[in-house]
Amino acid sequence: MIAVLLILIPVLGGLISLFLKEAGTARSWALLSSVVTFAVALSGIFIYDHLNELSFNAEWVTSLGSNFSLSMDGMGKILCLLTTFSFPVVFAATYKNNYRQPGSFYGLMLLMQAGLTGVFLATDGLLFYFFWELALIPAYFLCSIWGGEKRIAVTFKFFIYTFIGSVLMLAGILYLYFQTPGHTFSLQSWYHLNLPANSQNVLFWLFFIAFAIKMPVFPFHTWQPDTYEQAPTGVTMILSGVMVKMGIFAVIRWLVPVFPLATAHFANVVITLSVIGMIYASLLAIRQDDIKRLVAYSSIAHIGLMCAAIFTQNKIGLEGVIIQMFNHGINVIGLWIVADTIEKQLGTRKFSELGGLAQKAPVLAVLFMVMALANIALPLTNSFVGEFLMFNGLFQYNVWIAGIAGLSIILAAVYTLNMMQKIFYGDTVAATVHAQETSKNVQWVLAILVILVIALGIYPQPMINLVKDTVNAVLPNL
Amino acid sequence: MSETFVKILLGFIVLWPFAGFVLNGLGWHGNSKKAIARYACYMVLSSFVASVVIFFAIKSHGAYTVTYFNFLDTGSLKISFSFQADQLSSLFLLIITGVGFLIHVYSAAYMHEEEPKHYARYFAYLNLFIFFMLLLVLGANYVIMFFGWEGVGLCSYLLIGYWFKNNEYNYAARKAFIMNRIGDLGFLLGIFWLISKLATVDYATVFAQAQSLSNFDVTMITLLFFVGAMGKSAQIPLYTWLPDAMAGPTPVSALIHAATMVTAGIYMIARSNVLYSMSEVTMNIVAIVGLVTALFAATIALKQNDIKKVLAYSTVSQLGYMFLGLGVGAYTGAVFHVMTHAFFKALLFLAAGSVIHAMHHEQDIRKMGGLKKYLPITHITFLLGCLAIAGIPPFSGFFSKDEILAAAYAKNPLYWGLGVAGAAMTAFYMFRLYATTFLGSFRGTHDQEHHLKESPSAMTIPLIILALLSVLGGFLGIPEVFAHDSHLLKTFLSPVIATGAGEHLEHGTEYMLMGISVAIAALAVIFAISKYKKTPELGEPAGFGKILSNKWYIDELYDTVIVKPLNVLAGFLKNIIEKSGIDGLVNGVGRLVNYSSRQLRLLQSGQTGSYILFMVLAMIVIIFLWIDDHFIYKFISGLF
């Protein structure tokens, strides 16, 4: 029941919101809906933690043998927590932002939430594809209607990329459907397919390219910085905080266990690509003059590590990936919130036009500092735990690859501290000389994120316990 | 003493400074500077008192290991949040909290010009530093050590860039952090190597199972750890951040960049002595890197004119001696030198701070001179510090340096010879500094001369205490030749540190070595005083001196060889590969699709039309395919 509610509440909330005209009503409604969903998720994960609450099964497209089946395992719990937590955070942090047609904006956001949650819960191939598109379509509209100046061209690029991915994936799903005895989309039966190596090797790429675009993995990444830059910040937060996790999640759930032979066969290729991407994106991040683009490239570098760690097929590394999905989500949202308040207040995101903000907004400086330290995975922040486990996995796979990938932790310090310095340190400049402390709601939201960052950095064990069942299911024979 | 009590006490030792950080960081004490400073000092003093209690508990009972909770337990890898209080860590506890407390007190007066909110920020950082440093030495496994290791790096970054309006300081702070990170990567890879072989990071288990490691594994693990140590303890090639770190307030230089943080690398290797002793290769590398750094930094110190820069290069050089000691197996000697160095170098920095304070932020020794008469306490304490570092008996530096040099001789007489040459340079540049600053006549402005006065007691009392420690500290490690079984430190540390080389020298040889090194140091002192007392170097150096004064142009070299090429590469990737390469390809495809869709878009009004159309078309195709199962089956199976 809980699993269904997590999808149903945002769907209904979103549909109702489409008819709301008043900006105030729409944003309060969206916040209320998302808070209720979060509460339901918390109760499901921590109180009503029974299988029949967290899974659901009903007939759907019977003629095709597709069922509306949902199930929440450890990884699903973590991602549902991330999704349901991120939306109220984003709504609260951007509460003061004004949008044209607010009812439609918030309505699409909530529909996107439903799609995302569905992706993380579906255990039926067709249903998974359905939610995948349900999450993506609102994203196109949100970017193309509410985005920045270059939104049309950029959304088009975003669309082309993901559309190609979707088509490839759909072809793969249909092929699997026809290969399955009894023609079904059920994930469990796909796990037992034991396809011959040749078919696995082809199908692997159909799925992987779709997921790689979503993450994104080098060289499928160029839609991302543009989209993050042009999308309205609230949408960017969801795209980078939650939606990129669809790609990683899908690799863990729908790729690695379904095509074990191909995964082993192509692990070297994927890991090499991912590690190239880490270094490449880190180097590009150093040369950015725009907060949003820097965070975008930094995010690509971090995602590259997660992708590489999955393909090492090392249990410790995979645990790191799953908890890092949550950690990366809240950290990157925190960075976007700061980028948004700076842009809103000062009218620029360029480092060359910023400086000395710490004198004017010390609270923001401190909160941002903690998020920045989490971005470079300093111990006692949440991402240290994830990165430590992932690098450990990578090291067990190959010492040299771990060493090269490790260079990214040095480069991360270079660009992150550079960002800190260029925005907050030095003397004030024209743009910042009349700057003020950021608003209380932003301070509170960031403070909550900061507390989470540190709490999960000091005591990560509960998260790790949560992901063990998924890891054992995905990598059973190790 | 019961284990539970130790557990609680150790928890408090760490948490007191942390509480100080939190409360001052949140602005708990508002605008009262007195309350801010007092609170921060009390927190560290409490930790010091508790550390004394712990010290005696260990002395009578032995080591304690206490576990608080599981940090990570993945089934195959278990890392607990636990502390190990043994002889080695308790010694560091005393140094950190003791010297740390004195520097807190000193800071209260030294930083008095700061606005209350920045004053609170300063003390919050300082308390946070103590917290991380304690974590570093108390951790019972390498991961907890790494927490402290990166944490102190963060505090160092925050404190170097404390005056954040000045971008030059910010660059110095960033440089320190990044160079430390390079080392940290080595440390981290070492930890992974350890995990891959032994599946544990606990000291006790690692050392117990060390014999099962292959020689190659031990060498790699210890070398990777040493990379970490090179970053944190400023050894070649990762030393250039330390002189720049002098941008921070002077008490910070004394605490972090002289007495405690930079000795973390020595702590790490002494802690891992079981592993290091197993690898001859690593030991030689450690000894050579240490020795070369000691000499190299000493040559640079000969020609610096910034009072803090001289001390900074001297620190790099002294750290080199400690690594030399570790590399020749004199672990106790290295730890002994950490301790005496903490006393005399903290003293020298604080005394330099007192000079800078009196001179209104002037740091160039060419503009000083004759300060002996104006700053009597500072002068005497500084002089005692100089004698200690120069290795003149019976001051503390003599004992610890002698122990290292004796062990070096036993290993290789060449090490000893070069070490003595470095010691001569040390004596020379320290007394050049002393003579130029305190002797002769005053060369500053009249205005400066008018305002010259001795610092307040909050500053001079820590100086006096540190001076006493610098004078007497050496007696904790009286060499075997003078009196049998009187090396208290060696006896105390023997449970954690296996006694190494150096003790097999014949007494005659040892007396001779000692005599030579003391005589050379004394000559260097006399030479420097007589040379610079009347005629200090005031102009810009020429010839070889210019190369030294420009630090061998190493910063310029790194800039040309590493920083600039990296920037060019990043720019190339950004402007050529990303824009024209990958994105160009994608945009080409995009344009193609765009062209065909433009025709369709004519039918639609509004900009989003084409996307909806795409989705609808896609859906239609999908539904169409569903209608004929047979068709799609053949279609797709034909594809593969």
Side-chain angles (χ1 to χ4, degrees):
Chain A
M1 194 57 206
I2 301 255
V4 181
L5 281 179
L6 289 180
I7 296 171
L8 206 57
I9 299 169
V11 167
L12 292 177
L15 290 176
I16 292 171
S17 174
L18 291 175
F19 297 99
L20 297 175
K21 294 272 180 284
E22 280 288 315
T25 330
R27 64 168 75 116
S28 318
W29 173 253
L31 188 59
L32 177 71
S33 160
S34 61
V35 168
V36 169
T37 321
F38 181 49
V40 171
L42 284 179
S43 74
I45 290 160
F46 296 109
I47 303 171
Y48 304 108
D49 184 9
H50 318 296
L51 196 63
N52 52 353
E53 287 292 341
L54 298 184
S55 62
F56 178 79
N57 203 3
E59 290 186 344
W60 190 36
V61 192
T62 34
S63 59
L64 289 169
S66 170
N67 284 319
F68 196 97
S69 55
L70 307 171
S71 177
M72 195 193 284
D73 67 340
M75 177 163 63
K77 283 177 189 167
I78 283 194
L79 287 164
C80 282
L81 270 183
L82 173 67
T83 313
T84 53
F85 174 70
S86 298
F87 275 86
V89 162
V90 169
F91 289 146
T94 59
Y95 202 73
K96 299 258 165 71
N97 293 11
N98 283 313
Y99 302 102
R100 291 178 287 124
Q101 298 170 283
S104 310
F105 179 85
Y106 287 106
L108 288 169
M109 289 285 275
L110 290 173
L111 286 176
M112 186 159 73
Q113 180 181 4
L116 288 163
T117 313
V119 166
F120 299 140
L121 295 179
T123 52
D124 179 279
L126 192 64
L127 189 64
F128 170 73
Y129 182 76
F130 171 78
F131 281 125
W132 183 276
E133 292 298 332
L134 181 62
L136 283 176
I137 294 171
Y140 301 139
F141 285 106
L142 287 164
C143 296
S144 63
I145 300 176
W146 287 275
E149 285 165 29
K150 290 183 276 181
R151 60 181 183 275
I152 299 298
V154 164
T155 310
F156 194 71
K157 187 150 97 178
F158 173 43
F159 174 78
I160 292 293
Y161 260 110
T162 44
F163 185 75
I164 291 172
S166 295
V167 169
L168 294 175
M169 175 164 71
L170 184 61
I173 288 177
L174 292 176
Y175 181 80
L176 281 178
Y177 168 72
F178 289 108
Q179 285 297 310
T180 318
H183 291 192
T184 149
F185 291 99
S186 142
L187 178 67
Q188 280 310 319
S189 49
W190 286 5
Y191 278 7
H192 300 107
L193 265 181
N194 295 324
L195 290 172
N198 291 350
S199 344
Q200 285 200 19
N201 289 351
V202 178
L203 284 162
F204 176 88
W205 288 104
L206 293 183
F207 283 88
F208 181 72
I209 290 177
F211 303 153
I213 288 172
K214 207 75 227 77
M215 284 192 247
V217 174
F218 176 88
F220 305 108
H221 66 278
T222 63
W223 63 271
Q224 200 183 55
D226 290 342
T227 308
Y228 286 2
E229 189 187 6
Q230 292 297 321
T233 313
V235 178
T236 304
M237 290 177 198
I238 296 300
L239 288 182
S240 62
V242 187
M243 197 180 272
V244 297
K245 311 304 180 302
M246 280 185 5
I248 298 166
F249 164 87
V251 169
I252 298 174
R253 170 134 313 155
W254 294 92
L255 189 77
V256 172
V258 180
F259 311 114
L261 297 176
T263 303
H265 189 243
F266 293 119
N268 268 329
V269 180
V270 175
I271 291 173
T272 309
L273 274 183
S274 307
V275 171
I276 292 175
M278 286 170 75
I279 304 298
Y280 179 83
S282 303
L283 284 171
L284 279 166
I286 292 175
R287 291 297 294 251
Q288 302 303 320
D289 187 38
D290 180 302
I291 307 175
K292 278 190 163 184
R293 292 189 78 86
L294 187 146
V295 175
Y297 280 108
S298 152
S299 179
I300 294 173
H302 287 114
I303 298 285
L305 175 60
M306 294 189 211
C307 184
I310 297 173
F311 281 86
T312 60
Q313 293 181 278
N314 171 295
K315 278 194 179 181
I316 294 180
L318 189 59
E319 279 170 2
V321 176
I322 300 175
I323 63 170
Q324 190 67 2
M325 281 200 264
F326 185 87
N327 294 335
H328 175 266
I330 60 173
N331 296 354
V332 82
I333 287 175
L335 293 175
W336 291 126
I337 291 174
V338 177
D340 186 50
T341 70
I342 288 174
E343 187 181 11
K344 285 273 150 26
Q345 202 198 118
L346 308 177
T348 179
R349 297 188 312 252
K350 290 199 180 311
F351 298 128
S352 47
E353 294 167 8
L354 289 167
L357 195 56
Q359 294 163 52
K360 301 290 177 181
V363 176
L364 184 67
V366 171
L367 294 169
F368 180 72
M369 182 55 131
V370 180
M371 299 316 289
L373 296 176
N375 198 45
I376 56 178
L378 202 83
L380 301 185
T381 67
N382 56 358
S383 33
F384 172 77
V385 184
E387 292 207 359
F388 181 81
L389 295 175
M390 289 190 286
F391 272 115
N392 193 35
L394 215 51
F395 189 90
Q396 315 299 339
Y397 182 79
N398 182 308
V399 178
W400 292 105
I401 286 182
I404 294 169
L407 294 176
S408 72
I409 71 168
I410 300 168
L411 296 173
V414 175
Y415 60 72
T416 307
L417 296 182
N418 195 31
M419 171 165 69
M420 183 75 204
Q421 179 180 342
K422 291 283 163 61
I423 301 174
F424 287 99
Y425 297 159
D427 224 338
T428 48
V429 294
T432 54
V433 75
H434 298 299
Q436 286 169 348
E437 188 59 89
T438 178
S439 63
K440 283 277 180 250
N441 68 324
V442 170
Q443 287 183 23
W444 277 112
V445 171
L446 281 174
I448 291 170
L449 294 178
V450 160
I451 290 168
L452 260 181
V453 162
I454 293 170
L456 293 174
I458 295 174
Y459 193 50
Q461 191 57 36
M463 291 265 276
I464 291 170
N465 290 336
L466 218 49
V467 305
K468 276 182 180 162
D469 64 340
T470 306
V471 171
N472 289 327
V474 175
L475 302 173
N477 41 0
L478 290 165
Chain B
M1 201 183 286
S2 86
E3 195 143 317
T4 322
F5 183 70
V6 171
K7 183 170 170 178
I8 294 168
L9 204 55
L10 286 173
F12 275 117
I13 289 179
V14 171
L15 286 177
W16 275 319
F18 188 75
F21 157 70
V22 171
L23 293 184
N24 268 333
L26 293 175
W28 195 262
H29 296 290
N31 285 333
S32 164
K33 286 204 228 175
K34 207 169 174 183
I36 292 166
R38 187 179 292 171
Y39 188 75
C41 294
Y42 280 154
M43 288 298 116
V44 183
L45 181 62
S46 311
S47 294
F48 175 67
V49 172
S51 300
V52 172
V53 174
I54 291 287
F55 174 81
F56 284 107
I58 290 167
K59 208 159 178 266
S60 59
H61 169 281
Y64 294 89
T65 305
V66 294
T67 302
Y68 294 89
F69 56 88
N70 262 345
F71 174 66
L72 268 180
D73 183 1
T74 70
S76 54
L77 174 65
K78 193 171 155 185
I79 298 168
S80 56
F81 203 102
S82 44
F83 288 161
Q84 176 169 334
D86 61 4
Q87 287 78 3
L88 186 62
S89 47
S90 74
L91 188 70
F92 273 84
L93 280 187
L94 291 177
I95 297 173
I96 295 160
T97 53
V99 176
F101 170 66
L102 293 176
I103 292 174
H104 272 69
V105 172
Y106 178 97
S107 296
Y110 188 83
M111 301 298 284
H112 70 94
E113 290 171 10
E114 297 291 306
E115 284 175 51
K117 64 175 179 183
H118 293 303
Y119 197 72
R121 183 165 62 90
Y122 174 84
F123 278 104
Y125 290 164
L126 220 52
N127 272 188
L128 184 66
F129 169 77
I130 299 281
F131 163 75
F132 276 122
M133 196 67 210
L134 294 172
L135 215 53
L136 195 161
V137 297
L138 274 176
N141 60 54
Y142 285 105
V143 172
I144 305 294
M145 189 202 272
F146 190 75
F147 286 6
W149 191 269
E150 285 233 303
V152 291
L154 167 69
C155 297
S156 161
Y157 164 79
L158 292 170
L159 283 162
I160 296 168
Y162 168 74
W163 285 298
F164 60 77
K165 281 188 202 173
N166 184 329
N167 256 327
E168 211 172 299
Y169 296 176
N170 294 327
Y171 282 116
R174 213 178 78 192
K175 181 175 176 183
F177 193 91
I178 291 164
M179 293 204 103
N180 269 292
R181 265 257 150 152
I182 298 173
D184 294 356
L185 175 60
F187 189 0
L188 209 49
L189 291 173
I191 293 177
F192 293 144
W193 203 303
L194 206 54
I195 292 174
S196 74
K197 295 297 161 191
L198 298 178
T200 180
V201 287
D202 287 334
Y203 300 145
T205 333
V206 169
F207 303 147
Q209 297 178 1
Q211 293 306 326
S212 69
L213 290 168
S214 75
N215 196 281
F216 176 70
D217 287 333
V218 172
T219 304
M220 287 312 291
I221 291 167
T222 47
L223 278 179
L224 286 168
F225 281 177
F226 181 53
V227 171
M230 287 197 280
K232 192 107 300 176
S233 299
Q235 296 298 291
I236 289 174
L238 297 178
Y239 72 95
T240 59
W241 66 270
L242 184 58
D244 289 13
M246 296 301 120
T250 308
V252 170
S253 312
L255 177 61
I256 299 183
H257 304 120
T260 54
M261 182 186 87
V262 290
T263 61
I266 290 97
Y267 169 77
M268 176 220 258
I269 293 180
R271 169 60 76 200
S272 321
N273 66 79
V274 176
L275 295 176
Y276 277 83
S277 297
M278 285 168 67
S279 172
E280 191 65 21
V281 177
T282 309
M283 289 296 264
N284 283 330
I285 291 175
V286 172
I288 291 168
V289 169
L291 184 59
V292 173
T293 307
L295 291 171
F296 187 76
T299 60
I300 298 175
L302 293 173
K303 286 288 171 191
Q304 299 301 309
N305 289 320
D306 180 323
I307 186 167
K308 286 181 73 179
K309 283 276 159 74
V310 179
L311 294 176
Y313 280 104
S314 152
T315 303
V316 176
S317 171
Q318 295 299 310
L319 291 166
Y321 276 105
M322 296 174 206
F323 281 103
L324 172 63
L326 295 169
V328 298
Y331 300 109
T332 315
V335 173
F336 188 18
H337 202 54
V338 166
M339 187 184 82
T340 59
H341 180 258
F343 298 150
F344 61 67
K345 192 50 75 62
L347 165 64
L348 288 167
F349 265 114
L350 293 185
S354 174
V355 169
I356 296 167
H357 188 254
M359 293 287 297
H360 290 272
H361 309 294
E362 181 57 72
Q363 294 185 197
D364 190 334
I365 53 172
R366 288 170 297 189
K367 296 174 185 158
M368 298 177 182
L371 295 182
K372 184 177 167 184
K373 152 170 100 171
Y374 306 97
L375 311 171
I377 301 174
T378 307
H379 164 249
I380 284 292
T381 52
F382 192 88
L383 177 61
L384 293 172
C386 287
L387 289 167
I389 193 175
I392 305 295
F395 301 102
S396 59
F398 161 74
F399 292 96
S400 51
K401 200 180 282 182
D402 175 70
E403 191 173 334
I404 291 173
L405 289 175
Y409 183 86
K411 181 93 176 178
N412 183 341
L414 182 66
Y415 288 173
W416 176 82
L418 292 171
V420 170
M425 282 194 270
T426 308
F428 182 81
Y429 66 68
M430 284 314 297
F431 278 86
R432 168 180 174 266
L433 179 66
Y434 166 75
T436 316
T437 309
F438 289 97
L439 304 183
S441 55
F442 188 69
R443 295 180 296 274
T445 61
H446 280 297
D447 193 41
Q448 278 174 326
E449 189 170 9
H450 186 68
H451 288 106
L452 274 178
K453 64 168 196 297
E454 185 57 279
S455 301
S457 55
M459 286 164 69
T460 49
I461 291 172
L463 287 181
I464 294 167
I465 296 173
L466 285 168
L468 286 173
L469 290 168
S470 304
V471 174
L472 303 172
F475 293 107
L476 286 173
I478 298 168
E480 194 73 16
V481 284
F482 290 159
H484 188 59
D485 270 346
S486 55
H487 198 308
L488 300 176
L489 198 67
K490 191 169 272 175
T491 319
F492 178 64
L493 288 176
S494 58
V496 263
I497 293 177
T499 41
E503 56 198 335
H504 307 302
L505 286 181
E506 283 185 26
H507 285 187
T509 322
E510 199 166 340
Y511 276 123
M512 187 190 73
L513 298 177
M514 215 180 266
I516 294 173
S517 68
V518 169
I520 290 178
L523 281 174
V525 170
I526 294 163
F527 179 53
I529 291 184
S530 59
K531 183 165 157 64
Y532 294 111
K533 186 177 176 181
K534 292 275 151 54
T535 51
E537 278 171 3
L538 296 178
E540 290 300 322
F544 189 59
K546 193 173 171 202
I547 296 175
L548 292 184
S549 108
N550 282 300
K551 308 145 197 168
W552 296 94
Y553 297 99
I554 297 294
D555 276 320
E556 287 78 1
L557 180 76
Y558 284 179
D559 204 42
T560 321
V561 177
I562 298 168
V563 179
K564 279 193 185 132
L566 208 61
N567 263 325
V568 170
L569 173 66
F572 172 76
L573 293 179
K574 180 185 174 206
N575 297 322
I576 309 296
I577 301 291
E578 182 84 348
K579 258 197 199 123
S580 319
I582 300 172
D583 222 17
L585 204 69
V586 175
N587 285 336
V589 176
R591 261 194 294 278
L592 199 71
V593 181
N594 209 355
Y595 173 76
S596 39
S597 72
R598 200 170 294 143
Q599 316 302 321
L600 296 164
R601 198 191 288 174
L602 295 174
L603 299 169
Q604 299 286 329
S605 59
Q607 294 143 325
T608 49
S610 57
Y611 312 131
I612 303 176
L613 189 67
F614 256 112
M615 295 318 300
V616 172
L617 277 176
M619 290 301 176
I620 290 172
V621 172
I622 293 163
I623 291 164
F624 171 72
L625 292 176
W626 276 345
I627 292 169
D628 192 347
D629 277 6
H630 193 60
F631 163 73
I632 177 153
Y633 184 71
K634 278 208 295 197
F635 175 69
I636 295 178
S637 39
L639 279 177
F640 302 101

